[in-house]
Amino acid sequence: MPEHAAASRLRLSGLCFLLQILTIILFAVFVRYSPESSSGLCSQQLNCSWRNQDSGFQHPRFRDVHLQALLGFGLLVAFLARYGPGSVAISILIVAFAIQWAVLIQGFLYSFLNGKIYVGAQSMVSADFCTAAILISTGAVLGRVNPVQMLLLTLLGVTLLTLNEYILLSLMGVSDSGGSLTVHTFGAYFGLMVSRILHQPRMDKRKEQQDTGHQTDVFAVVGTIYLWIFWPSFTSATTVHDTTEPWALLNIYFSLVASTLATFVLSPLLYEESTLRMVQIQDATLASAAVMGMAGEMLVTPFGALSAGFLAGLIPPLGFRFLTPVLRSRLKTQDTCGVHNIHGLPGILGALLGTLLTALATADAYGGRLELVFPLVAQGSRTATDQALCQLYALPVTLLLAALGGSLTG
């Protein structure tokens, strides 16, 4: 066993060295800082949505999104008593590599001009979104893969996720600023397919230690607080223009509070515990964000945001109580962190909600914001129904790419 441990450490050290040298070389050859006048280089791309905003407004958004990706998502996996501190360390390792690789892959697709990739603060925000999706994926396989495999999952996952994002946002013209599909749905089902391929029968016989100990409670409390503070900024960071930001901020807040109340409605009925665990509130917070990812910048109305959040908050407790045992026994899916209940199903619900709101979009309701949220509809090249169909078609496209990519990666 000591020889095996030494070999594992050498493999991790060697892979980190090779990946970092590779990214340094690629950055030296291709990556340059974007001059202020180059903001018009971007077109229909997630991280180019700040092209009309000054740099002073960009940095607070970048800070909030980066804190959310690093601390909010990073601490989500720490509730597992068996893997807590080590999981946080692996999350930081994934973040460190995924940001670099995402800047490169997204740059080649979106901002490659005259043989160079031009990056700015908006590029880092988009890379953080990509990193968040990969952290979601790793939650499905946590405890069953080593750090070397995590890095390989990140390498392939970032590439495939960026391809999915490019197809949806650039080729299909889908509006998904908060990532119901591109972050939550893809990340969840990509990770679940990797988990299915890596299925180990003996794991079913071992009880996973998921919520014991004071330390895990502290991690859950801190992670949940970070979600509450920074998630509205995370969801609204890529809205197409700052004038649509208030809608996204308010919609996610209304969704978040209703989702939390839904957890307090169901959990006492489904579980015999006398007090609600912080992890359950954490799950509700994530579900509310996933359901409002696509619809956040749309005209949901406060009533609609509360209703959607309440429905999303019902999914995690019901899923963990009834659906997870079925998936584990029938489909042999081992979902360590429950990403299917927290991100996958709420992400699908969010995509369906976004499709409905797109079909109902009118110039009278949106006013000048119609051109910002649905530019093709405002220009007359698409009807609201056509745009809604594109939003709907994006769901099976995302599921297909996530399933095929997850199988390949697994």
Side-chain angles (χ1 to χ4, degrees):
M1 293 303 293
E3 293 81 5
H4 177 71
S8 298
R9 292 197 300 270
L10 287 176
R11 282 196 296 268
L12 177 60
S13 176
L15 182 60
C16 288
F17 177 78
L18 290 176
L19 290 176
Q20 187 60 71
I21 294 300
L22 173 63
T23 54
I24 288 175
I25 293 173
L26 291 174
F27 267 69
V29 174
F30 294 109
V31 179
R32 300 291 183 271
Y33 286 123
S34 176
E36 293 181 358
S37 60
S38 67
S39 59
L41 295 176
C42 303
S43 55
Q44 299 178 29
Q45 193 256 359
L46 180 64
N47 62 24
C48 291
S49 58
W50 296 0
R51 57 186 178 273
N52 295 324
Q53 300 174 23
D54 58 37
S55 59
F57 188 62
Q58 292 172 9
H59 295 303
R61 284 189 168 190
F62 165 66
R63 176 200 61 205
D64 292 350
V65 171
H66 193 61
L67 281 171
Q68 178 69 2
L70 189 62
L71 290 173
F73 278 99
L75 291 173
L76 297 183
V77 296
F79 73 93
L80 298 171
R82 195 171 181 184
Y83 313 117
S87 299
V88 178
I90 296 301
S91 296
I92 295 176
L93 172 65
I94 292 170
V95 170
F97 174 63
I99 287 177
Q100 299 178 66
W101 193 242
V103 168
L104 285 168
I105 301 300
Q106 293 175 339
F108 282 122
L109 286 176
Y110 296 123
S111 57
F112 193 63
L113 184 68
N114 298 326
K116 302 298 179 184
I117 296 172
Y118 293 96
V119 301
Q122 68 272 22
S123 304
M124 296 302 294
V125 170
S126 186
D128 275 327
F129 265 71
C130 188
T131 301
I134 299 303
L135 290 173
I136 292 171
S137 299
T138 59
V141 297
L142 187 66
R144 294 184 290 116
V145 297
N146 58 43
V148 171
Q149 293 171 316
M150 284 288 196
L151 283 174
L152 294 176
L153 183 151
T154 302
L155 181 72
L156 292 172
V158 167
T159 305
L160 294 167
L161 185 142
T162 304
L163 175 63
N164 178 69
E165 180 186 276
Y166 179 76
I167 293 173
L168 266 58
L169 304 184
S170 293
L171 301 184
M172 298 178 63
V174 171
S175 175
D176 187 25
S177 64
S180 284
L181 289 177
T182 56
V183 175
H184 297 278
T185 302
F186 186 94
Y189 289 101
F190 177 80
L192 287 171
M193 287 306 300
V194 174
S195 176
R196 176 61 185 87
I197 299 299
L198 299 180
H199 172 68
Q200 299 173 353
R202 65 180 182 273
M203 289 288 294
D204 293 333
K205 301 177 182 179
R206 183 175 69 186
K207 187 178 185 299
E208 295 182 4
Q209 301 172 3
Q210 291 193 354
D211 54 1
T212 60
H214 173 71
Q215 186 181 43
T216 56
D217 293 335
V218 173
F219 278 130
V221 170
V222 176
T224 303
I225 290 174
Y226 267 99
L227 291 173
W228 271 74
I229 294 173
F230 293 109
W231 198 278
S233 297
F234 184 89
T235 303
S236 64
T238 55
T239 51
V240 293
H241 198 273
D242 59 330
T243 57
T244 60
E245 182 192 14
W247 282 0
L249 286 171
L250 294 174
N251 285 333
I252 186 59
Y253 265 123
F254 285 130
S255 175
L256 195 155
V257 296
S259 179
T260 302
L261 264 294
T263 296
F264 279 87
V265 170
L266 271 186
S267 293
L269 301 177
L270 297 177
Y271 303 98
E272 297 179 356
E273 299 171 353
S274 58
T275 58
L276 193 70
R277 304 198 320 272
M278 200 67 179
V279 171
Q280 295 169 322
I281 301 177
Q282 188 180 75
D283 294 344
T285 305
L286 289 166
S288 68
V291 79
M292 205 51 61
M294 179 181 289
E297 66 177 344
M298 301 178 188
L299 186 58
V300 184
T301 72
F303 159 77
L306 288 171
S307 301
F310 187 79
L311 291 176
L314 299 176
I315 293 175
L318 289 173
F320 281 115
R321 182 68 174 84
F322 300 109
L323 188 57
T324 297
V326 175
L327 294 178
R328 184 181 294 127
S329 61
R330 301 290 179 85
L331 300 182
K332 308 302 180 184
T333 299
Q334 297 163 328
D335 186 2
T336 307
C337 294
V339 298
H340 183 242
N341 304 317
I342 301 170
H343 299 279
L345 292 178
I348 292 176
L349 178 61
L352 297 177
L353 174 62
T355 299
L356 174 63
L357 292 173
T358 302
L360 299 176
T362 63
D364 291 338
Y366 280 75
R369 297 189 182 193
L370 183 66
E371 185 176 359
L372 302 174
V373 181
F374 304 113
L376 296 178
V377 176
Q379 295 166 9
S381 56
R382 280 183 186 174
T383 64
T385 302
D386 294 335
Q387 182 66 38
L389 289 175
C390 287
Q391 304 281 130
L392 183 61
Y393 294 154
L395 176 57
V397 169
T398 297
L399 293 175
L400 180 61
L401 286 175
L404 294 178
S407 299
L408 171 66
T409 302

